[in-house]
Amino acid sequence: MVEWIMVLAVVFAGLNNIILRFLANTRIKYNAFLFNSIMMVVWILILLSMGGIKGVTEVTILYSFLYGLITCGFIFFKNAALTNGPISITSLIGGSSFIFTTIFNSIYFKDNVKIIQIIGMVVMVIAVVLVNFPQKTGEKTTLKWKILCAIFFVFAGLVGIIFRFHQIDDKAHTNEMMIIASAFATIMLLAMYGVSKIIKKVKNAKLEIVEEKQKISAKTVWIIIAFAVASGIVSCVYNRCNIFLSGAMPTILFSPIFNGALILVSFVAGLVLFKEKANVVKIIGFVLGIIAIICSSGVFGLVNF
């Protein structure tokens, strides 16, 4: 059962990447805070249809707030890092965040780690770097971008850590936690959107910049909403699976396999759907990714962890 839930998580996470890539290809400009707010509302509706809120404890509220806060921090610093530096390198840093999650959880929870799994994680890091090998764009990096990337890396890793703690302390209220967390996140994202608009308005006033209002057609708005709803559906499914898996599998097993498989699925999708070119470096990374997944699973011990 666990193996199939892992497959489901990877498939839906891959679909989410594909959806967001299609959106990026439309060249439509949208606000990340509003987009993710719509996604969170979709999460709430889906989770309510799956049983809703049957019971809430103080621990549930605590984890809901923490998960919602971490989600907003992840979105904010990811967006800030992407807009202040090279997209390829920023994405690479985000994709490597499982290292932080794996090391922390393995040490704190004293997971039984095999040498072959450590080798698998190291090989996976190399695979991530090669598959996402940044092209030379000549774009300069700043100290601000480096700080934003470091914080983005931490928040991305904290998601997996909070999942593991929750499954130990409040596993029976996973659905409730996600619903309340989504509501918290929606409110915080909308607040962040409002604050960002005010800050931009104040800056423009100080610099005496008159910004022209851009008219967005109704068709464009509906396209953005459609993508947000689609992304909300698939991301809700794979995050729900990931919460379960974080409690059902040791992190040294779960994180490298999930992230590695997702990178490989996204790589293949890029070749097939978006006609991306695969150079020798990326192909080597792809092969190493497969080897890393085999090693991380304990070679032949995946079902006996």
Side-chain angles (χ1 to χ4, degrees), residues 57-266:
T57 66
E58 292 180 355
V59 177
T60 307
I61 298 295
L62 174 61
Y63 277 107
S64 297
F65 178 75
L66 289 174
Y67 182 34
L69 187 64
I70 290 170
T71 298
C72 290
F74 169 78
I75 293 168
F76 176 81
F77 286 106
K78 177 183 179 180
N79 189 56
L82 286 172
T83 55
N84 282 278
I87 294 175
S88 57
I89 302 177
T90 303
S91 300
L92 172 59
I93 291 171
S96 303
S97 62
F98 74 90
I99 302 169
F100 173 52
T101 306
T102 303
I103 293 175
F104 178 89
N105 283 354
S106 296
I107 293 174
Y108 186 87
F109 295 106
K110 299 178 181 178
D111 290 336
N112 183 22
V113 180
K114 300 177 182 178
I115 297 297
I116 192 69
Q117 292 174 321
I118 295 175
I119 295 173
M121 191 176 75
V122 173
V123 174
M124 182 58 72
V125 173
I126 298 172
V128 169
V129 173
L130 295 179
V131 171
N132 295 282
F133 197 73
Q135 301 294 323
K136 293 182 179 179
T137 60
E139 190 174 353
K140 295 182 179 179
T141 60
T142 63
L143 177 61
K144 178 182 178 182
W145 172 76
K146 292 175 182 177
I147 294 172
L148 289 171
C149 278
I151 300 173
F152 166 44
F153 177 85
V154 171
F155 269 96
L158 283 174
V159 174
I161 293 173
I162 200 70
F163 282 175
R164 182 73 180 270
F165 273 101
H166 176 267
Q167 288 300 284
I168 293 172
D169 296 334
D170 197 42
K171 184 177 181 179
H173 299 103
T174 299
N175 211 54
E176 290 84 351
M177 186 276 288
M178 287 188 70
I179 293 173
I180 299 171
S182 300
F184 276 144
T186 302
I187 294 169
M188 286 187 279
L189 287 168
L190 291 174
M192 290 161 73
Y193 168 73
V195 170
S196 66
K197 295 290 285 185
I198 292 172
I199 291 174
K200 187 176 182 180
K201 191 173 182 179
V202 171
K203 283 185 177 179
N204 288 344
K206 285 184 178 180
L207 297 173
E208 297 182 350
I209 298 174
V210 179
E211 189 176 12
E212 294 183 7
K213 291 185 177 180
Q214 296 180 343
K215 292 183 179 179
I216 302 176
S217 67
K219 180 181 178 182
T220 300
V221 172
W222 282 110
I223 289 174
I224 295 172
I225 292 174
F227 274 104
V229 170
S231 181
I233 292 171
V234 295
S235 63
C236 180
V237 174
Y238 87 75
N239 273 283
R240 182 64 183 83
C241 290
N242 281 356
I243 293 177
F244 168 79
L245 291 170
S246 65
M249 302 172 68
T251 306
I252 190 69
L253 186 61
F254 165 60
S255 290
I257 292 178
F258 171 77
N259 287 279
L262 176 57
I263 290 167
L264 299 183
V265 167
S266 299

